[in-house]
Amino acid sequence: MTSILLVGSIGLDTLETPFGRAEDVLGGSASYFALAASLYAPVSMVAVVGDDFPDAHVNLLESHGIDLTGLQRVPGKTFRWSGRYRYDMNSRDTLDTQLNVFADFRPEIPEADRESEIVFLANIHPQLQLQVLEQVRQPRLVALDSMNLWIDIARDALDEVIARVDVVTMNDEEARQYADTYNLVAAAQSILARGPKTVIIKKGEHGCVVVGQSGVFAVPGYPLDDVQDPTGAGDAFAGGVIGYLASRNDYSWSTLRRALVHGSVVGSFTVQSFGVDRLATLTRPEIEDRYTLFRELTMIEPSDGTDA
Ligand code: AMP
């Protein structure tokens, strides 16, 4: 089992969906990723919070075995973000982003984590993602997530960091915007041409597709009848994918295909409650059960009428 070095945002989120509202709850790309990935492998988290950050959240992360040596606690207010989902739950409006202590964040990787084999650069300013890469020695796998904001305002830094990672994850809208093409496979190929070996495109409730040197593989969205809050599904998905790869210590195409299903399963649980609530109680047996349902869901019989 390999441990994962994670750098990303921790925030206090205010979330509105057609099914309810939650104020100042634990959020941020790193929180979702860490709670998901720690179901599979040890995670060390590097992030920043202010002096208003509730101890209960620190305790929750610690109770999942997440190593918080690299968590900086500085005077000031914690990063805050608020978003509202429309009725279809796929489109979201950001209502407010307050960087607060994030504005002066400089990631400092603890000495013990500089040798990490797996590095996940969750969604933060690409300049900060580059600063992390300057501090790690020889990771075997570096993966990155990003968002439309950085494509808009920090394109050069994003280009630079994408050229230096092995795996890129983006949602469909971001991949189209970044590659400037509507077709998702073409968008993935254009990102691959910049250096990464693998591109994973997340399509919300419609599943995901991975494009790599060995081909293309797609997983549908798990059909749920009770979606409450899609926030963090992409980060939790990435936590499931990278966590599973770390637990197998193998990054082959067949392991990656299984990892994609794990990511989809973890993402599907995440959206069934507000914020990190469902992730916080999720267990591996629950994941394995839904993985089995996923296999049944996607099994296609041969067209000649025989059983597979
Ligand atoms: P997702 O739903 O996967 O896009 O992730 C939502 C999480 O991203 C929320 O918990 C936010 O706190 C966090 N977030 C939103 N905007 C930013 C930003 N500009 N930088 C870092 N994290 C952000």
Side-chain angles (χ1 to χ4, degrees), residues 151 170-184 187 191 201 203:
I151 304 174
M170 278 190 189
N171 73 29
D172 41 7
E173 207 183 303
E174 292 153 0
R176 287 185 174 115
Q177 183 187 347
Y178 183 70
D180 197 19
T181 179
Y182 182 81
N183 182 286
L184 286 180
I191 298 170
I201 298 183
K203 301 193 291 171

Side-chain angles (χ1 to χ4, degrees), residues 161-267:
V161 68
I162 280 182
R164 292 178 56 180
V165 304
D166 303 297
V167 180
V168 170
T169 68
M170 278 190 189
N171 73 29
D172 41 7
E173 207 183 303
E174 292 153 0
R176 287 185 174 115
Q177 183 187 347
Y178 183 70
D180 197 19
T181 179
Y182 182 81
N183 182 286
L184 286 180
V185 176
Q189 277 158 351
S190 125
I191 298 170
L192 286 177
R194 295 173 172 273
K197 294 193 268 300
T198 306
V199 175
I200 300 172
I201 298 183
K202 302 168 283 182
K203 301 193 291 171
E205 68 174 316
H206 305 299
C208 59
V209 54
V210 55
V211 184
Q213 288 160 338
S214 304
V216 179
F217 177 64
V219 175
Y222 187 79
L224 291 167
D225 59 6
D226 60 343
V227 176
Q228 294 284 320
D229 169 25
T231 309
D235 307 306
F237 166 86
V241 172
I242 303 296
Y244 181 75
L245 293 176
S247 73
R248 308 302 298 183
N249 199 15
D250 168 26
Y251 316 132
S252 63
W253 182 247
S254 62
T255 305
L256 185 60
R257 286 167 58 121
R258 293 187 178 95
L260 229 63
V261 181
H262 274 274
S264 303
V265 167
V266 175

Side-chain angles (χ1 to χ4, degrees), residues 9 13 27-29 32 79 81 92 123 147 149-150 231-232 234-235:
S9 64
D13 287 351
S29 53
Y32 285 98
F79 170 70
W81 177 81
R92 159 174 99 189
N123 174 32
M147 73 185 293
L149 175 67
W150 313 126
T231 309
D235 307 306

Side-chain angles (χ1 to χ4, degrees), residues 109 169 212 288:
I109 311 303
T169 68
E288 294 302 333

Side-chain angles (χ1 to χ4, degrees), residues 3-294:
S3 64
I4 302 165
L5 168 63
L6 158 70
V7 185
S9 64
I10 296 190
L12 296 173
D13 287 351
T14 295
L15 313 166
E16 280 178 49
T17 83
F19 303 101
R21 188 171 192 277
E23 203 165 322
D24 281 349
V25 294
L26 175 62
S29 53
S31 305
Y32 285 98
F33 180 95
L35 289 169
S38 61
L39 285 156
Y40 296 87
V43 177
S44 297
M45 181 198 268
V46 173
V48 65
V49 294
D51 48 21
D52 58 349
F53 192 66
D55 287 342
H57 296 339
V58 175
N59 296 342
L60 175 74
L61 296 169
E62 275 177 342
S63 71
H64 283 72
I66 298 158
D67 182 345
L68 298 180
T69 310
L71 178 65
Q72 301 171 23
R73 275 169 252 211
V74 302
K77 285 174 96 181
T78 299
F79 170 70
R80 274 177 173 70
W81 177 81
S82 104
R84 181 189 292 143
Y85 290 83
R86 303 201 194 140
Y87 190 66
D88 70 2
M89 293 287 238
N90 266 333
S91 39
R92 159 174 99 189
D93 297 316
T94 290
L95 302 179
D96 191 26
T97 302
Q98 296 172 25
L99 291 180
N100 299 331
V101 295
F102 218 153
D104 298 315
F105 175 51
R106 296 284 166 275
E108 276 167 37
I109 311 303
E111 190 51 41
D113 294 322
R114 294 180 181 221
E115 305 284 347
S116 298
E117 268 196 37
I118 300 187
V119 178
F120 187 74
L121 305 169
N123 174 32
I124 49 172
H125 196 298
Q127 205 67 56
L128 300 181
Q129 295 178 320
L130 282 167
Q131 287 174 17
V132 174
L133 294 186
E134 297 305 327
Q135 297 175 59
V136 290
R137 300 217 169 87
Q138 274 199 315
R140 273 180 67 206
L141 185 83
V142 181
L144 153 159
D145 191 26
S146 196
M147 73 185 293
N148 50 1
L149 175 67
W150 313 126
I151 304 174
D152 288 336
I153 69 168
R155 173 79 200 209
D156 289 349
L158 186 57
D159 286 347
E160 200 181 328
V161 68
I162 280 182
R164 292 178 56 180
V165 304
D166 303 297
V167 180
V168 170
T169 68
M170 278 190 189
N171 73 29
D172 41 7
E173 207 183 303
E174 292 153 0
R176 287 185 174 115
Q177 183 187 347
Y178 183 70
D180 197 19
T181 179
Y182 182 81
N183 182 286
L184 286 180
V185 176
Q189 277 158 351
S190 125
I191 298 170
L192 286 177
R194 295 173 172 273
K197 294 193 268 300
T198 306
V199 175
I200 300 172
I201 298 183
K202 302 168 283 182
K203 301 193 291 171
E205 68 174 316
H206 305 299
C208 59
V209 54
V210 55
V211 184
Q213 288 160 338
S214 304
V216 179
F217 177 64
V219 175
Y222 187 79
L224 291 167
D225 59 6
D226 60 343
V227 176
Q228 294 284 320
D229 169 25
T231 309
D235 307 306
F237 166 86
V241 172
I242 303 296
Y244 181 75
L245 293 176
S247 73
R248 308 302 298 183
N249 199 15
D250 168 26
Y251 316 132
S252 63
W253 182 247
S254 62
T255 305
L256 185 60
R257 286 167 58 121
R258 293 187 178 95
L260 229 63
V261 181
H262 274 274
S264 303
V265 167
V266 175
S268 74
F269 277 110
T270 306
V271 303
Q272 289 186 278
S273 296
F274 267 78
V276 300
D277 286 358
R278 186 64 183 91
L279 261 185
T281 61
L282 187 61
T283 62
R284 277 301 289 277
E286 287 177 314
I287 292 174
E288 294 302 333
D289 284 351
R290 192 169 284 183
Y291 189 102
T292 305
L293 293 176
F294 228 109

